[in-house]
Amino acid sequence: SVTDQQLANIERGAFLTGVRMIKEAIELDAENDTLELALADWRWFYGRSGDAVRIYERLAIKAPELFSEPVELPHGLIVASPLPVTEVAQATFSFVVTTRGRVREIIEISSTSGTRDAIRIKKGLRKLRFRPALDATADPVKATVTKTYRETR
């Protein structure tokens, strides 16, 4: 449909604008590994994994601690809610993050209220994209994560 095409164009434009902005920042501060990591994460989040993997491999040699465990993307936008736990649905899950940054094998550990809340949170968790964990040789590895997520509305 026309709407789907418009949304695809907006997404493509957002990706390209983000790449351009981050590359311009890198040109101003070429030694800034944080900017390189942001560029790789941006590409990975949008499914452009080839360039991202090369940057991840290079940065993992310099700073392996950045890749010891998977990180939700876009990094920095997923933060704990300031609301008291009693006011929002919350659930703890154990899951595997694949070498491609996808969530698999989700197991509910606990939840604050009924199973419907946990099901909604689990559905959102399936859609998350992660920066993969890398081993000592900078190869992507599966990683098991246990984490608590809150529902936001």
Side-chain angles (χ1 to χ4, degrees), residues 138-149:
D139 289 326
V141 293
K142 286 183 182 179
T144 300
V145 175
T146 300
K147 193 163 184 179
T148 300
Y149 289 92

Side-chain angles (χ1 to χ4, degrees), residues 103-119:
V103 175
R104 300 289 185 258
E105 302 174 32
I106 304 170
I107 299 170
E108 180 185 338
I109 306 295
S110 65
S111 64
T112 54
S113 53
T115 56
R116 289 178 46 198
D117 291 337
I119 290 169

Side-chain angles (χ1 to χ4, degrees), residues 6-16 46 48:
Q6 289 172 331
L7 289 174
N9 286 337
I10 290 169
E11 183 177 319
R12 191 171 25 263
F15 169 73
L16 294 173
Y46 277 95
R48 309 310 205 281

Side-chain angles (χ1 to χ4, degrees), residues 6-106:
Q6 289 172 331
L7 289 174
N9 286 337
I10 290 169
E11 183 177 319
R12 191 171 25 263
F15 169 73
L16 294 173
T17 299
V19 168
R20 187 186 78 247
M21 291 172 63
I22 298 170
K23 281 184 170 183
E24 288 172 1
I26 290 169
E27 287 176 14
L28 297 172
D29 189 2
E31 300 302 314
N32 189 332
D33 289 340
T34 303
L35 290 173
E36 288 281 336
L37 183 58
L39 178 60
D41 284 347
W42 186 257
R43 287 178 165 156
W44 187 264
F45 181 75
Y46 277 95
R48 309 310 205 281
S49 57
D51 290 332
V53 167
R54 286 188 285 281
I55 295 171
Y56 287 158
E57 289 171 347
R58 185 174 52 74
L59 292 176
I61 303 297
K62 295 168 89 175
E65 68 279 1
L66 292 174
F67 301 93
S68 61
E69 60 186 43
V71 175
E72 294 110 334
L73 298 177
H75 180 61
L77 295 181
I78 300 172
V79 294
S81 168
L83 298 173
V85 173
T86 58
E87 294 183 26
V88 294
Q90 177 176 301
T92 301
F93 298 96
S94 177
F95 53 92
V96 171
V97 175
T98 69
T99 59
R100 304 293 299 159
R102 298 294 184 185
V103 175
R104 300 289 185 258
E105 302 174 32
I106 304 170

